Each structure stands twice: as structure tokens, then as C-alpha cells.
Amino acid sequence: MSRRILLVTTLLLAGCTSGTPTPTPTPPPVKSGFKLVAFDSCEQLTKDLKAAAKKSVGPWGFSGGMMRTFGAVPDGARSAASAGGTADKAAPAFSGTNVHEVGVDEPDIVKTDGKRIVTITGGSLRVIDAASHKATGQLPLDAWGDADLLLSGDRALVLTHQGGGDVLYDRKMPMRPAGAELILVDLTGAPRVISRYRGEGRLVDARQTGDTARVVLTSQPRITFPDRPAARDDDEDRIKANQRVIDRTSVDAWLPSWTVTTGDTTEQGKVACNDVRRPVTYSGRSMLTVLTFPLSAPKLDSGRPVSIVADGDTVYGTPTSLYVASDQRWRLDFFPGRDNRTVPQETDVFRFDVTGSEPPVYRAAGKVPGFLINQYALSEWDGHLRVATTDSAQQSSAVRVLKPDGETLTQVGEVDGLGKNERIYSVRFIGPRAYVVTFRQTDPLYSLDLSNPAAPRVTGELKITGFSAHLQPVGPDRLVGVGQEATEEGRRQGTQVSLFDVSDPAAPRRLAQHHVKNGYSEAEYDPHAILWWPDTKLFAVPVNEGLLALTVTDNGLTEAGQIAPRASAMQVRRNLVIGGELWTLYENGLQISRLSTLEPVTYLRL
């Protein structure tokens, strides 16, 4: 989501990049999946969950919950479909959210349908008329925590993650439990709340196809562990005490509950035992739940939950599939010196079919070595799933190709040995090709041919200083990379934007680079902050408190202009195009400029 801070544990890799990797000989098919099965009964569910939880609990409870950036990245769509709404033929051309797959929208802090802009600032949803440059509505959300939204016609779905802790302790001032709140808003006339859905756990991410939103939550059991002072017991005693608490806990503590309030009516419920599925191995410390909400419905309901005894941290969607991935870093207790367990270098991937407004249907699951950098490390193409991961134990990265085989995602091909002693910083799959950036001291951009799923191969490599944290397609055979310039020793030097020519698979080239010394950009970790407007070849990203606007040609990058920081406007967050105007969203206002010259027209304080 848009304001999450990347807290991914740094992969400790030594050494420098070696030459172009030798493609690994194509292995025989690997059964990289596992079936999801239902529990026989509520009693069996209780017994198995307790057994798994007792194995995974540490001296300080279920610690180690990690927040990571999940969403985000690119294809520069510019239609109402990409913005999640139904096109109004009278609306001017406009830019949608920068998303991974065309036809699948992603939550962000601002949306537009070409006639109005909907954004969330200062705890309120605000509606702005694009033609008059005037705010037409404001709705205090009465919600706390970060918020994003989806838009469909005259409906907005606000998604909030409300902070809190992974565990509750016996303290005089108990931590407020983490939770997610979804707010369905009617935008006809003055904006008003239709329904509020409150669910337990952390909001992982969401995807929207047509007018249907699918929201992914992950929750921990509601267990209060004793607060045991360090001087009283050693770690083994603490673990045994925590296990005794688990033994006394009811299965209700694991089953996600929810409430929905519409007007004066509140409904509540929880996931039923027979609606829970499990993989072969699981921790018992988390539950993954996928909710489905048609935004055109009269109100929100239970979301018709689909639950799995698993964790989830990365969501990727296509118009017909939803993938949720989870690596094994939940096993770590992130208190230094308190946990010496080795983390398995592997990631679980669950695939669901999505059709119309029906709940997702589980189809297959797989397991791959290594960890994902973000959703762009996943790509479905021609009936196959391509996955790029870094294995810190092996100190290298790989791209693997999986194919559904019944309920198993079976590996049919791989290219290993990418970026020896480095880790992946960005990935972009485009049809039968892939581009992978690894980095420690220099930035190899690898070009891969995946046209034969059984025999993927590296075709070329480009070594340059710095790295690209995101790769954005900007036309045939052209990529723009946004990241950091660095010295030959790997010291970062500020934001850089590079234009790559990838027309020759054997010899990718950097055609141009724009460097902002000591710069930093939100686009480096959240590609929603990128604006790519093909009509005028405008590529814009926030840099420090201002905006960097570049014109992309076939052979270079030229500065189209800058929108300087405003003294009282704080930093730039997003940019939108509506007709002939560029709208720049600050944290407390909107700057409207002429698209052709970036000359300011007016500023609207929010």
C-alpha cells in the first residue's frame, strides 16, 4: 500500500558480480506445489492449529511480523478501466493508476474518472471537480491509520490499515489490536458512507477487476501471552508458558471475525471451521483471508471469505487469476539474540481463479526457493507463472517457470545463477521476455528469453553503476528505470532515471541517464508514484519535495520542466493527467499546471 515503509531484512551478500550466468540445464519437472485440503472437523482444526502454534511460538509470543511494500507498479494505463470505473464518453482523456497488469486496478491514495478526482488527505475523503478546479465534497472517515482507495462509477472503497501489534500482552495499557476497515462511499451528490466493514488482522493488499474488489487480509490468533520479566525465567521457560496458554485457547481465537455496519444495523460473524483450508506445512500463527465485494452492490456484506492457514505478504492479479505469496520470514523472532532459527529460503504461492463478482476459487499452489522483492517478481503468461526470487543462502537469484498440474504448480524450467553475491532490486516481465536488475556494487541488467518455458535462458547483460528499483515500459523495446546512482563501490549518490534500449536481446544498452544528486523518490519503492503519459511522452516522478518531469524520446531523456517544492505544501505524492492539465498531488493540496509547458494554473488547498 502507498505509505508503508519497506522493512525487509537486508540480505547479507558478499563479493561482486561475476560474468553472465551460464543457464542451468533444464531440469525435469519439479513438483513445487502442495495441495490445500479442508480440516475433517472443528475438533481436528483445533488440534492441528494448536500443535502448529506451539511449535512456532517463541519466548515473546508470535513476534517477527514484517511489514513490506506490496503493491505497486506500472504499465501506465490511461482509461477509465484502469482507474476502476466505467468510462464516461464525455470525460477527457486521463491517466489511471500506474499498475502491474492492464485491466486490474490497485489501491492508491488518489483516483480519477476524468471528471472528478477522489483522494484521501488528513483523515478525510475529498472530491474535486476537474473542470472547475473546485472541491465539491468532503467526508471525514472516522478511521485511523493509512488509507488507500478504489473507484468504480459512483462508488469508492476506502481501505485502511489500522496499526497495533502482532501480539497482546498482559499490560496496564494493552496494545490496540491491528485491524482493517473497509468503507464503501457513495459519491453521488455529497459523499456519504454506505457501509463499514471491520475485520481482524493486517490489510495486505487488494485488486479490482470490473466493479469487483478482492481484498486480502492476514490475521493472527487472539491470544494474550503473559508478560514475563527477563530476570524471572529463561527463554525455555517462557516458551513453555506460552505453549500452556495456547493449550487453553479456544479455536475461536484463530477464526477471523468481522462486523459490517450499514446505517443503524450491524451484522457480525466469523469464518466457519469447514471454510478453512491448509497446506502441508503451516505455522498456526496466521490466517490468510480473501474477501470479495462487488462495489455496485447496495451495501457491504461478509465478503464471502476464503481462508487458508497461511501467511501472505505479496498480491498479484490478472483479469482471471489472483496470486497470494508468502515467504518463510515469519519464522524469525526479530529481537536480536533471542532467536537463532534458520529461515527456510522458500516462498509459497497460492493461485485462485477469479470470475465476475464471485469469490475466488482455489486452483493450485506451489513452492519456490528464495524470496520475492515485490509483486513484479510474479507474472502469468500463456498458461505459465514466472517467478523471480533471491536465495540469500545460495547468494544468487533465479527465474523459474511454473505450470499448473492439477492442484500443483509444477516447475518446468529455470535460469539460476543471476547476480552472484547480489540480490534482485527490480523485475519486469513483458510477454515472453524478462528483465532482472541485481545490485551490490554495480547494476547488471539481465535480459532473458522465456519463450520456451522448458528452456528459459539469459540472452544478454548490461553492467552499469547504480541500480533501477523499478522498470517501466515506455514503448516498443524501451524501458525506463528509476532508482539510485552509485559509485563503483556501491555508495548511493541520489535518484537516477535511465532509458534502456532492449531491442537487441543480446545487448541491452543504456541510451540516457538523468541524475538528481542526493535525490530520493517515493517511486523507488512505490511505482504508483510514477506517471507515464504516452500521448506527450511525459515521464514524471516526485523527487525530494518537488517533481521531476522528463520527456522520453527514442534516444534520450530531456527535462520537460520542474514543479518546485511549495513552502507550505509538503512533498509531492502523485501526478494525474486530465485533458490538457497536469494535476500534482501534495500531502495537503493540488497544483494544476498546463500539460504542454508545466506552467502553473492554480493551486487548490485541501
Side-chain angles (χ1 to χ4, degrees):
M1 307 299 282
S2 61
R3 298 191 182 186
R4 293 176 183 145
I5 301 173
L6 185 65
L7 297 179
V8 182
T9 304
T10 305
L11 300 176
L12 302 178
L13 305 174
C16 301
T17 303
S18 58
T20 302
T22 302
T24 304
T26 302
V30 177
K31 287 286 186 178
S32 54
F34 45 88
K35 291 185 178 182
L36 287 180
V37 297
F39 291 90
D40 295 335
S41 63
C42 232
E43 290 74 17
Q44 188 66 45
L45 172 65
T46 305
K47 178 181 176 182
D48 290 354
L49 284 177
K50 287 184 177 182
K54 288 168 64 177
K55 289 181 180 178
S56 63
V57 74
W60 307 96
F62 294 129
S63 53
M66 294 168 54
M67 289 185 66
R68 298 193 275 278
T69 40
F70 310 120
V73 165
D75 236 83
R78 64 179 193 91
S79 67
S82 69
T86 301
D88 184 330
K89 294 182 180 179
F94 61 94
S95 60
T97 298
N98 193 29
V99 297
H100 190 171
E101 295 282 358
V102 174
V104 183
D105 199 24
E106 302 171 9
D108 198 18
I109 58 175
V110 63
K111 296 287 179 181
T112 184
D113 59 8
K115 300 184 72 173
R116 62 187 162 201
I117 295 169
V118 185
T119 188
I120 299 172
T121 59
S124 292
L125 179 143
R126 301 169 192 266
V127 183
I128 297 95
D129 179 68
S132 66
H133 300 168
K134 293 182 179 179
T136 59
Q138 178 178 347
L139 176 67
L141 295 173
D142 189 27
W144 55 290
D146 292 342
D148 291 308
L149 60 91
L150 294 165
L151 182 66
S152 178
D154 290 325
R155 298 288 182 85
L157 182 67
V158 178
L159 305 97
T160 70
H161 170 69
Q162 304 175 9
D166 284 338
V167 286
L168 302 179
Y169 294 96
D170 286 330
R171 299 180 186 271
K172 293 181 180 179
M173 297 181 64
M175 300 171 65
R176 184 172 181 177
E181 184 173 41
L182 313 177
I183 307 171
L184 184 63
V185 178
D186 182 4
L187 300 175
T188 56
R192 65 178 183 88
V193 172
I194 299 173
S195 297
R196 290 178 180 266
Y197 174 102
R198 291 185 174 93
E200 292 176 304
R202 174 169 57 87
L203 173 64
V204 179
D205 212 337
R207 292 295 180 269
Q208 179 182 341
T209 52
D211 77 338
T212 301
R214 292 177 175 86
V215 182
V216 181
L217 307 179
T218 183
S219 59
Q220 288 196 323
R222 299 176 295 281
I223 300 177
T224 301
F225 293 109
D227 183 13
R228 304 174 69 85
R232 184 183 302 170
D233 302 296
D234 59 21
D235 282 358
E236 185 176 347
D237 289 333
R238 295 188 191 95
I239 291 173
K240 289 180 179 178
N242 290 340
Q243 289 173 337
R244 289 194 292 270
V245 172
I246 292 172
D247 277 331
R248 297 193 298 268
T249 301
S250 158
V251 70
D252 288 341
W254 277 270
L255 298 174
S257 64
W258 51 267
T259 63
V260 177
T261 301
T262 303
D264 296 329
T265 302
T266 297
E267 304 171 71
Q268 58 185 355
K270 64 181 179 181
V271 175
C273 292
N274 57 2
D275 288 334
V276 178
R277 299 292 184 270
R278 60 179 170 84
V280 174
T281 59
Y282 50 93
S283 69
R285 55 151 281 166
S286 58
M287 191 83 74
L288 179 71
T289 301
V290 184
L291 308 170
T292 301
F293 298 103
L295 301 188
S296 59
K299 61 179 183 177
L300 296 180
D301 56 16
S302 67
R304 294 168 288 173
V306 175
S307 294
I308 302 172
V309 183
D311 204 350
D313 46 52
T314 302
V315 176
Y316 162 65
T318 75
T320 58
S321 299
L322 182 73
Y323 292 88
V324 182
S326 171
D327 62 42
Q328 298 292 311
R329 280 172 279 190
W330 51 260
R331 294 178 183 271
L332 281 177
D333 183 339
F334 288 98
F335 291 99
R338 297 179 182 174
D339 197 332
N340 296 316
R341 288 175 289 181
T342 300
V343 180
Q345 299 282 315
E346 58 189 23
T347 295
D348 298 334
V349 183
F350 304 98
R351 176 182 175 268
F352 301 86
D353 277 352
V354 291
T355 305
S357 60
E358 295 302 311
V361 177
Y362 165 74
R363 291 302 185 198
K367 188 186 297 288
V368 294
F371 302 142
L372 307 175
I373 181 65
N374 56 28
Q375 64 155 323
Y376 287 88
L378 298 167
S379 170
E380 183 183 88
W381 185 76
D382 196 25
H384 294 79
L385 177 68
R386 292 87 62 86
V387 186
T389 59
T390 293
D391 186 327
S392 59
Q394 298 299 320
Q395 296 190 347
S396 68
S397 300
V399 172
R400 293 177 174 85
V401 183
L402 310 180
K403 184 177 182 179
D405 179 9
E407 292 188 358
T408 297
L409 293 172
T410 298
Q411 180 180 311
V412 297
E414 70 173 5
V415 174
D416 206 344
L418 301 174
K420 282 287 188 180
N421 303 319
E422 301 185 343
R423 73 171 176 90
I424 290 175
Y425 270 68
S426 60
V427 184
R428 195 63 194 237
F429 293 95
I430 304 175
R433 303 206 57 80
Y435 304 93
V436 178
V437 171
T438 62
F439 176 76
R440 185 170 184 270
Q441 290 181 318
T442 56
D443 166 8
L445 170 65
Y446 294 104
S447 173
L448 289 80
D449 180 1
L450 309 177
S451 57
N452 181 353
R457 61 192 181 93
V458 173
T459 57
E461 175 186 347
L462 171 66
K463 283 188 179 180
I464 52 178
T465 56
F467 64 87
S468 296
H470 175 70
L471 295 171
Q472 178 79 32
V474 292
D477 300 324
R478 294 293 186 271
L479 292 174
V480 168
V482 180
Q484 284 278 313
E485 179 58 290
T487 65
E488 292 184 356
E489 294 74 32
R491 291 192 295 272
R492 302 184 184 191
Q493 302 292 298
T495 299
Q496 62 91 14
V497 179
S498 295
L499 176 65
F500 298 105
D501 177 359
V502 292
S503 58
D504 183 353
R509 298 184 298 146
R510 181 160 70 181
L511 301 176
Q513 182 192 39
H514 187 95
H515 177 213
V516 180
K517 189 176 181 180
N518 299 321
Y520 58 88
S521 175
E522 183 177 353
E524 295 174 32
Y525 63 88
D526 187 353
H528 290 150
I530 293 172
L531 169 67
W532 164 239
W533 186 245
D535 288 8
T536 61
K537 307 297 183 183
L538 175 66
F539 189 89
V541 292
V543 176
N544 298 6
E545 285 76 33
L547 173 70
L548 173 64
L550 301 172
T551 300
V552 181
T553 66
D554 284 344
N555 298 306
L557 301 168
T558 59
E559 195 164 334
Q562 287 189 345
I563 294 179
R566 296 182 62 91
S568 60
M570 305 178 76
Q571 71 181 39
V572 173
R573 300 299 310 281
R574 299 290 186 270
N575 290 276
L576 305 169
V577 171
I578 302 177
E581 294 179 329
L582 176 69
W583 293 67
T584 300
L585 176 67
Y586 292 83
E587 291 185 326
N588 59 357
L590 279 160
Q591 168 76 52
I592 301 100
S593 308
R594 290 186 174 87
L595 180 61
S596 57
T597 63
L598 300 190
E599 179 184 357
V601 174
T602 189
Y603 183 80
L604 178 63
R605 185 173 297 279
L606 298 176

